[in-house]
Amino acid sequence: MCTFLFPIFAAQNFRQVPTKFSKETYLYWYELMQLIRQFELKAEEKYKMAGKIRGFFHAYVGQEALAAGCMTATRQEDPFITAYRDHGWALAKGVTPNACMAELYGKATGAAKGKGGSMHFFGVKEYFFGGHGIVGAQIGTGAGLAFAEQYKGTDNVVLCFFGDGAARQGILHETFNMAMLWKLPVVFICENNNYAMGTSVERTSNVVDIYKLADAYEMPADMVDGMDPETVHDAVARAVKRAREKGGPTLLEMKTYRYKGHSISDPQKYRRKEELDEYKTKDPITFVTKAILDNKFATQEELDAIDARINEVVEESVRFAEESPWPDDSELLKDVYADENYQFIVD
Amino acid sequence: MRTILFREALREAMSEEMRKDEKVFLMGEEVAEYNGAYKVSQGMLAEFGPKRVIDTPIAELGFTAIAVGAAQNGLRPIVEYMTWNFAVLALDQILNTASKMLAMSGGQVGCPIVFRGANGSAGQLGAQHSTAFESLYANIPGLKVISVSNPYDAKGLLKSAIIDNDPVVFMESEVMYGEKGEVPEETYYIPIGKADIKRPGKDVTIVSFNKMMKVALGAAEELAKEGIEAEVIDLRTIRPLDWYTILESVKKTNRLVIVEEQWPFASVSSEITYRIQKEGFDYLDAPIRRITSADAPMHYAPNLVAAYLPDVPRTVKLVKEVMYLKK
């Protein structure tokens, strides 16, 4: 008998899916989610078994439906910015698996030339403004990206992601206040996986419904099932439309779940194995697979072929990362200043 | 040459660059409708409108974050802090985001932004409004740090800061905004990273910056009465530090005294002292000496303020010590 932490899941659990979304959308969701999942599992293997990847490593496994729904509800020019659980978002925006894996390996061909690592993936030409390591800081910086879009007169909308832990930082309130005051074109998306590292949401505040934090600023807000790409897409599409039409920001609280620990070194003693198993019954990839088969968008054989291709792409990213060179030692003092004549102190 | 106020020089620098480049804007507390807490931005709202001269709520962390994000996405913000004491609330964005963005992204995202405002003490303002922050920010790779002492340098260096592609910390002083100085009508830029010899001399080198330049120049004046010719160098830029100019001076004078408003530990004088003993050891005829603020928060009482800050008599005394002069 399953008892879900978030009742919203139980109600919608594995409903039969005749869907309003097209075959192309579903197959894109399937591919993207499988790419993120296989990439993360392979990277974790290379971290744990081979010691090829070091540093902090925060996996996106379990939260893939968010990436899927957000991508189909936006366009490429809409900038994304997130915290340190950033692999999935970089892949979703189109940073190549090769560049992502090479970054984890710390290689010169990585998404940030081997200078960022797991927490600092960047892909500015893909409109991905990074992976940020200070909890909540990107809430304000993301609003700044939106400020620039508004200032330049574009109709681009920024998607700014943060976790339930970041929702308790002061910068959230300062930013929400100004984002509403200036009607900035930004959608704040709280990826609520219920744990700020090892501290559950109800242990961090009297207000456990994070979307209600928007009320103090009269910001539109919604709670969304973040395990279902359809509901994610619909909620984000509504918020993005509002922002594009100069209606200002929205806060979306996406209920999701990470299958892995906070980081790779997390023994996860704060949650029961049964809790994790319950969520796995709501796995977004299982859900999308079922929808594809129910609607006859593809056969199991065709999905297997997609899986095989993704497996090849991920294996190729490992080969690419392993064969790539380390950054040259001379890179130590490069990219610190835009000014190429800067006189560094060297002793 | 015409003379204008310090605050007018800063305003001219911002206004000229804003006329040239649509991407430059000014943001901060009271900068628009109030015309600036210290009237630096007086009249700028009228000229540039509310899109480009923007009042913020009292939320240093939040509005700094928004400016930093805007800089990452193609704009060139100028952020005014009422004082650098308040900017401590925004240090996370300056240190952890602005200064590191270019490096973290492997050169993809820079942060062309100016953070400016009044720095250091300004009379009996008590402990929390009186800190001088140059050495703290100069510790941070990725930032440039400018601290000015007169209207001419203020205008030329602020213009250079605004067109610079790196994040620049720009430090002024409440007590100098109303001072006058010569500033030419025609446009000019002063390069970042160049110290300036404000008074030539041959007997001893005194290095200072910001309003402590008054103490340095005042001491030089007193010393001149006794026939001692002090060379006074205004650093103007703290990071990168123009130690070549100091070294060239020390090669001539063989003696160095540094006057600054920082706290003593790991201060600007600490760094200068290291550099000059390493590069100029054979030229020194006496230990390098310094006067900093006291190693304590600044207290309120007027006698304690006086005791806290460097002054002319103590600077004169120290110069005589490095010259081994009795009395």
Side-chain angles (χ1 to χ4, degrees), chain A residues 111-113 115 120 122-124 129 132 134 137 140-141 144-145 147 149 151-152 174 178 335 337-339 342-343 345 347, chain B residues 22 25 51-52 54 59 62-63 66 69-70 72-73 92-93 102-104 106-109 142-144 166 239 244 275 278:
Chain A
K113 297 194 203 164
K115 294 180 175 182
H120 308 306
F122 280 82
V124 170
F129 281 81
H132 296 258
I134 306 299
T141 319
L145 298 175
F147 179 96
E149 297 296 343
Y151 190 99
K152 291 185 277 190
E174 297 188 21
M178 281 178 276
D335 303 321
Y337 288 91
D339 176 357
Y342 187 84
Q343 296 282 310
I345 295 173
D347 66 344
Chain B
E22 190 75 26
F25 68 92
K51 182 189 171 188
R52 299 181 68 197
I54 303 160
F63 70 72
I66 287 173
Q72 286 171 36
N73 198 8
D92 174 55
Q93 282 290 322
L102 193 68
M104 270 164 51
Q108 291 180 66
V109 197
L143 298 182
K144 295 178 179 177
D166 289 304
R239 183 187 181 99
Y244 306 96
R275 183 61 45 194
K278 175 172 176 286

Short mmCIF file of all heavy atoms in Angstrom, two decimals, chain A residues 111-113 115 120 122-124 129 132 134 137 140-141 144-145 147 149 151-152 174 178 335 337-339 342-343 345 347, chain B residues 22 25 51-52 54 59 62-63 66 69-70 72-73 92-93 102-104 106-109 142-144 166 239 244 275 278:
data_model
loop_
_atom_site.label_atom_id
_atom_site.label_comp_id
_atom_site.label_asym_id
_atom_site.label_seq_id
_atom_site.Cartn_x
_atom_site.Cartn_y
_atom_site.Cartn_z
N ALA A 111 32.09 21.88 -21.01
CA ALA A 111 31.16 22.99 -21.20
C ALA A 111 31.68 24.29 -20.59
O ALA A 111 31.25 25.37 -20.98
CB ALA A 111 29.80 22.64 -20.58
N ALA A 112 32.60 24.21 -19.65
CA ALA A 112 33.23 25.41 -19.09
C ALA A 112 34.75 25.22 -19.09
O ALA A 112 35.44 25.68 -18.18
CB ALA A 112 32.70 25.72 -17.69
N LYS A 113 35.24 24.56 -20.11
CA LYS A 113 36.69 24.33 -20.29
C LYS A 113 37.33 23.59 -19.12
O LYS A 113 38.50 23.78 -18.83
CB LYS A 113 37.44 25.66 -20.48
CG LYS A 113 37.05 26.46 -21.70
CD LYS A 113 38.12 27.53 -21.89
CE LYS A 113 37.66 28.72 -22.67
NZ LYS A 113 38.57 29.87 -22.50
N LYS A 115 36.75 24.23 -16.07
CA LYS A 115 36.93 25.16 -14.96
C LYS A 115 35.74 25.19 -14.02
O LYS A 115 35.80 25.75 -12.93
CB LYS A 115 37.19 26.57 -15.49
CG LYS A 115 38.51 26.67 -16.24
CD LYS A 115 38.76 28.06 -16.77
CE LYS A 115 40.16 28.11 -17.39
NZ LYS A 115 40.49 29.45 -17.88
N HIS A 120 28.93 23.83 -12.16
CA HIS A 120 28.99 25.05 -12.98
C HIS A 120 29.04 24.73 -14.47
O HIS A 120 30.00 25.06 -15.16
CB HIS A 120 30.18 25.92 -12.56
CG HIS A 120 30.24 26.20 -11.10
ND1 HIS A 120 29.17 26.75 -10.41
CD2 HIS A 120 31.21 25.99 -10.18
CE1 HIS A 120 29.51 26.86 -9.13
NE2 HIS A 120 30.72 26.41 -8.95
N PHE A 122 27.83 25.62 -18.12
CA PHE A 122 27.35 26.82 -18.80
C PHE A 122 27.21 26.54 -20.28
O PHE A 122 27.99 25.77 -20.84
CB PHE A 122 28.34 27.99 -18.63
CG PHE A 122 28.22 28.69 -17.30
CD1 PHE A 122 28.83 28.17 -16.18
CD2 PHE A 122 27.49 29.87 -17.18
CE1 PHE A 122 28.73 28.80 -14.95
CE2 PHE A 122 27.38 30.50 -15.96
CZ PHE A 122 27.99 29.97 -14.84
N GLY A 123 26.24 27.18 -20.91
CA GLY A 123 26.09 27.08 -22.36
C GLY A 123 25.40 28.34 -22.84
O GLY A 123 24.20 28.34 -23.11
N VAL A 124 26.17 29.42 -22.91
CA VAL A 124 25.52 30.71 -23.17
C VAL A 124 24.93 30.75 -24.58
O VAL A 124 23.87 31.33 -24.78
CB VAL A 124 26.50 31.87 -22.90
CG1 VAL A 124 25.95 33.19 -23.39
CG2 VAL A 124 26.77 31.94 -21.39
N PHE A 129 22.43 29.84 -18.62
CA PHE A 129 23.29 30.75 -17.86
C PHE A 129 23.82 30.13 -16.58
O PHE A 129 24.19 30.81 -15.64
CB PHE A 129 22.56 32.07 -17.56
CG PHE A 129 22.55 32.99 -18.74
CD1 PHE A 129 21.63 32.81 -19.75
CD2 PHE A 129 23.49 34.00 -18.86
CE1 PHE A 129 21.62 33.65 -20.87
CE2 PHE A 129 23.49 34.85 -19.96
CZ PHE A 129 22.56 34.67 -20.97
N HIS A 132 24.82 27.36 -10.54
CA HIS A 132 25.35 28.26 -9.50
C HIS A 132 25.38 27.56 -8.15
O HIS A 132 24.45 26.84 -7.81
CB HIS A 132 24.50 29.53 -9.46
CG HIS A 132 24.59 30.31 -10.74
ND1 HIS A 132 25.36 31.42 -10.87
CD2 HIS A 132 24.05 30.07 -11.96
CE1 HIS A 132 25.28 31.87 -12.12
NE2 HIS A 132 24.48 31.06 -12.80
N ILE A 134 25.86 28.82 -4.84
CA ILE A 134 25.45 29.40 -3.56
C ILE A 134 23.92 29.33 -3.49
O ILE A 134 23.23 29.93 -4.31
CB ILE A 134 25.92 30.86 -3.44
CG1 ILE A 134 27.43 30.98 -3.67
CG2 ILE A 134 25.51 31.43 -2.08
CD1 ILE A 134 28.30 30.21 -2.70
N ALA A 137 21.26 32.12 -4.64
CA ALA A 137 21.83 33.32 -5.27
C ALA A 137 21.28 33.53 -6.68
O ALA A 137 21.06 34.66 -7.11
CB ALA A 137 23.35 33.24 -5.31
N GLY A 140 18.08 35.79 -7.56
CA GLY A 140 18.28 37.21 -7.88
C GLY A 140 18.96 37.42 -9.22
O GLY A 140 18.54 38.28 -10.01
N THR A 141 19.99 36.64 -9.48
CA THR A 141 20.69 36.78 -10.75
C THR A 141 19.75 36.46 -11.92
O THR A 141 19.80 37.13 -12.96
CB THR A 141 21.92 35.85 -10.79
OG1 THR A 141 22.56 35.87 -9.51
CG2 THR A 141 22.92 36.30 -11.83
N GLY A 144 17.73 39.21 -12.75
CA GLY A 144 18.56 40.17 -13.48
C GLY A 144 18.64 39.84 -14.97
O GLY A 144 18.63 40.75 -15.81
N LEU A 145 18.70 38.56 -15.29
CA LEU A 145 18.65 38.17 -16.71
C LEU A 145 17.34 38.67 -17.33
O LEU A 145 17.32 39.19 -18.45
CB LEU A 145 18.73 36.65 -16.87
CG LEU A 145 19.99 35.93 -16.36
CD1 LEU A 145 19.82 34.41 -16.49
CD2 LEU A 145 21.23 36.38 -17.11
N PHE A 147 15.53 41.18 -16.18
CA PHE A 147 15.61 42.65 -16.24
C PHE A 147 16.23 43.08 -17.56
O PHE A 147 15.76 44.01 -18.23
CB PHE A 147 16.45 43.15 -15.05
CG PHE A 147 16.64 44.64 -15.00
CD1 PHE A 147 15.81 45.44 -14.23
CD2 PHE A 147 17.66 45.26 -15.73
CE1 PHE A 147 15.99 46.82 -14.18
CE2 PHE A 147 17.84 46.63 -15.70
CZ PHE A 147 17.01 47.41 -14.92
N GLU A 149 16.35 41.38 -20.40
CA GLU A 149 15.44 41.10 -21.53
C GLU A 149 14.40 42.20 -21.65
O GLU A 149 14.10 42.68 -22.74
CB GLU A 149 14.75 39.73 -21.36
CG GLU A 149 15.70 38.52 -21.36
CD GLU A 149 16.44 38.31 -22.68
OE1 GLU A 149 16.02 38.87 -23.71
OE2 GLU A 149 17.45 37.58 -22.66
N TYR A 151 14.69 45.29 -20.51
CA TYR A 151 15.40 46.53 -20.87
C TYR A 151 15.67 46.58 -22.36
O TYR A 151 15.53 47.61 -23.01
CB TYR A 151 16.70 46.57 -20.07
CG TYR A 151 17.48 47.87 -20.10
CD1 TYR A 151 17.38 48.80 -19.06
CD2 TYR A 151 18.35 48.16 -21.15
CE1 TYR A 151 18.11 49.97 -19.06
CE2 TYR A 151 19.10 49.34 -21.16
CZ TYR A 151 18.97 50.24 -20.12
OH TYR A 151 19.71 51.40 -20.13
N LYS A 152 16.07 45.41 -22.92
CA LYS A 152 16.40 45.36 -24.34
C LYS A 152 15.15 45.29 -25.22
O LYS A 152 15.25 45.36 -26.44
CB LYS A 152 17.30 44.13 -24.63
CG LYS A 152 18.69 44.25 -24.03
CD LYS A 152 19.60 43.09 -24.42
CE LYS A 152 19.40 41.88 -23.57
NZ LYS A 152 20.42 40.82 -23.78
N GLU A 174 13.61 39.44 -1.40
CA GLU A 174 14.04 40.69 -2.04
C GLU A 174 13.76 40.62 -3.54
O GLU A 174 13.31 41.59 -4.15
CB GLU A 174 15.54 40.93 -1.78
CG GLU A 174 15.86 41.12 -0.30
CD GLU A 174 17.31 41.54 -0.05
OE1 GLU A 174 17.96 42.06 -0.98
OE2 GLU A 174 17.78 41.35 1.08
N MET A 178 11.01 42.85 -6.00
CA MET A 178 11.39 43.69 -7.14
C MET A 178 10.87 43.13 -8.46
O MET A 178 10.50 43.88 -9.37
CB MET A 178 12.91 43.89 -7.18
CG MET A 178 13.36 44.94 -6.18
SD MET A 178 15.15 45.18 -6.12
CE MET A 178 15.61 43.86 -5.01
N ASP A 335 40.61 33.71 -18.22
CA ASP A 335 39.17 33.83 -17.90
C ASP A 335 38.93 34.36 -16.49
O ASP A 335 37.83 34.21 -15.96
CB ASP A 335 38.45 32.47 -18.07
CG ASP A 335 38.60 31.90 -19.46
OD1 ASP A 335 38.57 32.69 -20.43
OD2 ASP A 335 38.75 30.67 -19.58
N TYR A 337 39.96 37.68 -15.77
CA TYR A 337 39.57 39.03 -16.21
C TYR A 337 39.30 39.01 -17.71
O TYR A 337 39.98 38.30 -18.46
CB TYR A 337 40.69 40.04 -15.93
CG TYR A 337 40.85 40.35 -14.46
CD1 TYR A 337 41.72 39.61 -13.67
CD2 TYR A 337 40.11 41.36 -13.85
CE1 TYR A 337 41.86 39.87 -12.32
CE2 TYR A 337 40.25 41.64 -12.50
CZ TYR A 337 41.11 40.89 -11.73
OH TYR A 337 41.24 41.15 -10.40
N ALA A 338 38.34 39.80 -18.14
CA ALA A 338 38.15 40.01 -19.57
C ALA A 338 39.35 40.78 -20.13
O ALA A 338 39.73 40.61 -21.28
CB ALA A 338 36.85 40.78 -19.81
N ASP A 339 39.93 41.62 -19.30
CA ASP A 339 41.11 42.42 -19.64
C ASP A 339 42.32 41.49 -19.82
O ASP A 339 42.81 40.90 -18.86
CB ASP A 339 41.35 43.41 -18.48
CG ASP A 339 42.61 44.23 -18.65
OD1 ASP A 339 43.35 44.02 -19.62
OD2 ASP A 339 42.84 45.09 -17.77
N TYR A 342 45.74 42.16 -17.82
CA TYR A 342 45.73 42.30 -16.37
C TYR A 342 47.02 41.76 -15.76
O TYR A 342 47.47 40.66 -16.10
CB TYR A 342 44.52 41.56 -15.77
CG TYR A 342 44.41 41.83 -14.29
CD1 TYR A 342 43.77 42.97 -13.82
CD2 TYR A 342 45.02 40.99 -13.36
CE1 TYR A 342 43.72 43.24 -12.48
CE2 TYR A 342 44.97 41.25 -12.01
CZ TYR A 342 44.31 42.39 -11.58
OH TYR A 342 44.27 42.68 -10.23
N GLN A 343 47.61 42.52 -14.85
CA GLN A 343 48.87 42.14 -14.20
C GLN A 343 48.57 41.36 -12.91
O GLN A 343 48.24 41.95 -11.89
CB GLN A 343 49.68 43.40 -13.85
CG GLN A 343 50.12 44.20 -15.05
CD GLN A 343 51.32 43.57 -15.74
OE1 GLN A 343 52.31 43.25 -15.11
NE2 GLN A 343 51.21 43.38 -17.06
N ILE A 345 49.27 39.05 -9.57
CA ILE A 345 50.31 38.83 -8.57
C ILE A 345 50.73 37.37 -8.69
O ILE A 345 49.88 36.47 -8.56
CB ILE A 345 49.77 39.12 -7.16
CG1 ILE A 345 49.41 40.61 -7.03
CG2 ILE A 345 50.79 38.72 -6.10
CD1 ILE A 345 48.70 40.96 -5.73
N ASP A 347 53.57 35.94 -7.05
CA ASP A 347 54.36 35.40 -5.94
C ASP A 347 53.89 36.01 -4.63
O ASP A 347 53.04 36.87 -4.62
CB ASP A 347 55.85 35.68 -6.14
CG ASP A 347 56.13 37.17 -6.06
OD1 ASP A 347 55.18 37.98 -6.16
OD2 ASP A 347 57.30 37.53 -5.92
N GLU B 22 23.55 53.12 -24.69
CA GLU B 22 22.20 52.83 -24.19
C GLU B 22 22.18 51.73 -23.14
O GLU B 22 21.27 51.64 -22.32
CB GLU B 22 21.34 52.43 -25.40
CG GLU B 22 19.85 52.32 -25.16
CD GLU B 22 19.17 53.67 -25.04
OE1 GLU B 22 19.70 54.66 -25.60
OE2 GLU B 22 18.12 53.74 -24.38
N PHE B 25 23.11 51.87 -17.30
CA PHE B 25 22.04 52.44 -16.48
C PHE B 25 22.50 52.53 -15.03
O PHE B 25 23.49 51.90 -14.65
CB PHE B 25 20.75 51.63 -16.61
CG PHE B 25 20.81 50.25 -16.02
CD1 PHE B 25 20.43 50.02 -14.71
CD2 PHE B 25 21.24 49.16 -16.79
CE1 PHE B 25 20.49 48.74 -14.16
CE2 PHE B 25 21.29 47.88 -16.25
CZ PHE B 25 20.92 47.67 -14.93
N LYS B 51 13.57 54.47 -16.87
CA LYS B 51 14.10 53.19 -17.36
C LYS B 51 15.58 53.05 -17.04
O LYS B 51 16.08 51.95 -16.84
CB LYS B 51 13.88 53.08 -18.88
CG LYS B 51 14.37 51.74 -19.45
CD LYS B 51 14.34 51.71 -20.97
CE LYS B 51 15.04 50.44 -21.45
NZ LYS B 51 15.23 50.43 -22.91
N ARG B 52 16.29 54.18 -17.00
CA ARG B 52 17.76 54.12 -16.89
C ARG B 52 18.29 54.69 -15.58
O ARG B 52 19.49 54.57 -15.30
CB ARG B 52 18.41 54.81 -18.08
CG ARG B 52 18.02 54.16 -19.41
CD ARG B 52 18.68 54.83 -20.58
NE ARG B 52 20.12 54.60 -20.59
CZ ARG B 52 20.98 55.32 -21.30
NH1 ARG B 52 20.53 56.32 -22.05
NH2 ARG B 52 22.26 55.04 -21.27
N ILE B 54 17.17 54.23 -11.78
CA ILE B 54 16.18 53.36 -11.16
C ILE B 54 16.30 53.35 -9.65
O ILE B 54 17.33 52.96 -9.09
CB ILE B 54 16.36 51.90 -11.69
CG1 ILE B 54 16.25 51.90 -13.22
CG2 ILE B 54 15.33 50.97 -11.07
CD1 ILE B 54 16.87 50.68 -13.87
N ALA B 59 17.30 46.91 -0.38
CA ALA B 59 17.49 45.46 -0.53
C ALA B 59 18.79 45.26 -1.30
O ALA B 59 18.78 44.88 -2.46
CB ALA B 59 16.30 44.86 -1.29
N GLY B 62 19.39 41.93 -3.09
CA GLY B 62 18.46 41.70 -4.20
C GLY B 62 18.76 42.57 -5.40
O GLY B 62 18.85 42.08 -6.53
N PHE B 63 18.94 43.89 -5.18
CA PHE B 63 19.15 44.73 -6.37
C PHE B 63 20.54 44.53 -6.96
O PHE B 63 20.74 44.67 -8.17
CB PHE B 63 18.76 46.19 -6.16
CG PHE B 63 19.61 47.04 -5.26
CD1 PHE B 63 20.88 47.46 -5.63
CD2 PHE B 63 19.10 47.50 -4.04
CE1 PHE B 63 21.65 48.28 -4.81
CE2 PHE B 63 19.86 48.32 -3.21
CZ PHE B 63 21.14 48.71 -3.60
N ILE B 66 20.16 41.52 -9.18
CA ILE B 66 19.47 41.85 -10.43
C ILE B 66 20.43 42.58 -11.38
O ILE B 66 20.48 42.29 -12.58
CB ILE B 66 18.19 42.66 -10.14
CG1 ILE B 66 17.15 41.71 -9.52
CG2 ILE B 66 17.66 43.34 -11.39
CD1 ILE B 66 15.89 42.38 -9.02
N GLY B 69 22.92 39.99 -12.75
CA GLY B 69 22.27 39.19 -13.80
C GLY B 69 22.11 39.98 -15.09
O GLY B 69 22.31 39.47 -16.19
N ALA B 70 21.77 41.26 -14.95
CA ALA B 70 21.62 42.12 -16.13
C ALA B 70 22.96 42.27 -16.85
O ALA B 70 23.03 42.27 -18.08
CB ALA B 70 21.08 43.49 -15.72
N GLN B 72 25.31 40.08 -16.90
CA GLN B 72 25.60 38.81 -17.57
C GLN B 72 24.80 38.66 -18.85
O GLN B 72 25.13 37.86 -19.71
CB GLN B 72 25.25 37.63 -16.64
CG GLN B 72 26.25 37.44 -15.53
CD GLN B 72 25.74 36.41 -14.53
OE1 GLN B 72 25.09 35.45 -14.90
NE2 GLN B 72 26.02 36.64 -13.27
N ASN B 73 23.75 39.43 -18.96
CA ASN B 73 22.86 39.31 -20.12
C ASN B 73 22.93 40.56 -21.00
O ASN B 73 21.94 40.96 -21.59
CB ASN B 73 21.43 39.03 -19.64
CG ASN B 73 20.55 38.45 -20.74
OD1 ASN B 73 21.02 38.10 -21.83
ND2 ASN B 73 19.26 38.38 -20.47
N ASP B 92 27.81 38.60 -1.18
CA ASP B 92 27.67 37.29 -1.84
C ASP B 92 27.64 37.46 -3.35
O ASP B 92 28.31 36.73 -4.08
CB ASP B 92 26.41 36.57 -1.37
CG ASP B 92 26.20 35.28 -2.16
OD1 ASP B 92 27.13 34.46 -2.18
OD2 ASP B 92 25.15 35.11 -2.78
N GLN B 93 26.86 38.41 -3.84
CA GLN B 93 26.75 38.60 -5.29
C GLN B 93 28.04 39.15 -5.89
O GLN B 93 28.43 38.78 -6.99
CB GLN B 93 25.57 39.54 -5.61
CG GLN B 93 24.23 38.86 -5.52
CD GLN B 93 23.99 37.86 -6.63
OE1 GLN B 93 24.38 38.07 -7.78
NE2 GLN B 93 23.34 36.75 -6.32
N LEU B 102 33.14 34.83 -14.97
CA LEU B 102 33.93 34.60 -16.18
C LEU B 102 34.75 33.32 -16.05
O LEU B 102 34.82 32.51 -16.98
CB LEU B 102 34.85 35.80 -16.43
CG LEU B 102 35.51 35.85 -17.80
CD1 LEU B 102 34.49 36.11 -18.90
CD2 LEU B 102 36.61 36.92 -17.84
N ALA B 103 35.34 33.11 -14.88
CA ALA B 103 36.16 31.93 -14.66
C ALA B 103 35.31 30.67 -14.63
O ALA B 103 35.61 29.68 -15.30
CB ALA B 103 36.94 32.07 -13.35
N MET B 104 34.21 30.71 -13.86
CA MET B 104 33.36 29.53 -13.71
C MET B 104 32.77 29.07 -15.03
O MET B 104 32.51 27.89 -15.23
CB MET B 104 32.19 29.84 -12.76
CG MET B 104 32.48 29.56 -11.32
SD MET B 104 31.30 30.36 -10.21
CE MET B 104 29.73 29.88 -10.91
N GLY B 106 34.17 29.34 -17.89
CA GLY B 106 35.21 29.11 -18.89
C GLY B 106 35.27 30.21 -19.93
O GLY B 106 35.51 29.95 -21.10
N GLY B 107 35.02 31.46 -19.48
CA GLY B 107 35.13 32.60 -20.38
C GLY B 107 33.86 32.95 -21.13
O GLY B 107 33.85 33.88 -21.94
N GLN B 108 32.75 32.24 -20.85
CA GLN B 108 31.52 32.50 -21.62
C GLN B 108 30.74 33.71 -21.16
O GLN B 108 30.14 34.42 -21.96
CB GLN B 108 30.58 31.29 -21.54
CG GLN B 108 31.06 30.07 -22.27
CD GLN B 108 30.06 28.94 -22.13
OE1 GLN B 108 28.96 29.01 -22.61
NE2 GLN B 108 30.47 27.89 -21.45
N VAL B 109 30.67 33.93 -19.84
CA VAL B 109 29.82 35.00 -19.29
C VAL B 109 30.66 35.95 -18.45
O VAL B 109 31.14 35.58 -17.39
CB VAL B 109 28.72 34.46 -18.36
CG1 VAL B 109 27.64 35.51 -18.16
CG2 VAL B 109 28.13 33.19 -18.89
N GLY B 142 39.38 38.79 -9.97
CA GLY B 142 38.21 39.00 -10.82
C GLY B 142 37.66 40.41 -10.69
O GLY B 142 36.98 40.89 -11.59
N LEU B 143 37.94 41.08 -9.57
CA LEU B 143 37.50 42.46 -9.39
C LEU B 143 38.65 43.43 -9.68
O LEU B 143 39.81 43.08 -9.52
CB LEU B 143 37.05 42.72 -7.95
CG LEU B 143 35.87 41.94 -7.39
CD1 LEU B 143 35.58 42.40 -5.96
CD2 LEU B 143 34.63 42.12 -8.25
N LYS B 144 38.30 44.64 -10.07
CA LYS B 144 39.24 45.76 -10.04
C LYS B 144 38.73 46.72 -8.96
O LYS B 144 37.52 46.85 -8.79
CB LYS B 144 39.31 46.44 -11.40
CG LYS B 144 39.88 45.52 -12.48
CD LYS B 144 39.89 46.16 -13.85
CE LYS B 144 40.49 45.20 -14.88
NZ LYS B 144 40.46 45.77 -16.24
N ASP B 166 35.28 44.27 -17.00
CA ASP B 166 35.30 43.48 -15.77
C ASP B 166 34.52 44.20 -14.67
O ASP B 166 34.30 45.40 -14.75
CB ASP B 166 36.76 43.29 -15.32
CG ASP B 166 37.51 42.33 -16.24
OD1 ASP B 166 37.02 41.20 -16.40
OD2 ASP B 166 38.53 42.73 -16.81
N ARG B 239 43.51 47.64 -6.91
CA ARG B 239 43.73 46.38 -7.63
C ARG B 239 43.42 46.59 -9.10
O ARG B 239 42.27 46.94 -9.38
CB ARG B 239 42.86 45.26 -7.05
CG ARG B 239 43.10 43.92 -7.71
CD ARG B 239 42.13 42.86 -7.25
NE ARG B 239 42.44 41.61 -7.92
CZ ARG B 239 43.16 40.61 -7.39
NH1 ARG B 239 43.57 40.70 -6.17
NH2 ARG B 239 43.42 39.54 -8.09
N TYR B 244 55.03 49.53 -9.46
CA TYR B 244 56.20 50.04 -10.19
C TYR B 244 56.45 51.51 -9.84
O TYR B 244 57.59 51.92 -9.64
CB TYR B 244 55.99 49.92 -11.71
CG TYR B 244 55.63 48.53 -12.17
CD1 TYR B 244 54.31 48.16 -12.36
CD2 TYR B 244 56.63 47.59 -12.41
CE1 TYR B 244 53.98 46.88 -12.79
CE2 TYR B 244 56.31 46.31 -12.84
CZ TYR B 244 54.98 45.96 -13.02
OH TYR B 244 54.67 44.71 -13.44
N ARG B 275 55.59 43.74 -1.40
CA ARG B 275 56.07 43.93 -2.77
C ARG B 275 57.37 44.74 -2.80
O ARG B 275 58.32 44.39 -3.49
CB ARG B 275 54.96 44.63 -3.58
CG ARG B 275 55.25 44.84 -5.05
CD ARG B 275 55.47 43.56 -5.80
NE ARG B 275 54.47 42.55 -5.47
CZ ARG B 275 54.59 41.26 -5.78
NH1 ARG B 275 55.64 40.82 -6.43
NH2 ARG B 275 53.65 40.41 -5.43
N LYS B 278 60.39 42.94 -1.46
CA LYS B 278 60.87 41.91 -2.39
C LYS B 278 61.57 42.53 -3.59
O LYS B 278 62.66 42.08 -3.98
CB LYS B 278 59.70 41.05 -2.87
CG LYS B 278 60.12 40.04 -3.92
CD LYS B 278 59.03 39.07 -4.26
CE LYS B 278 59.47 38.15 -5.39
NZ LYS B 278 59.49 38.79 -6.70
#
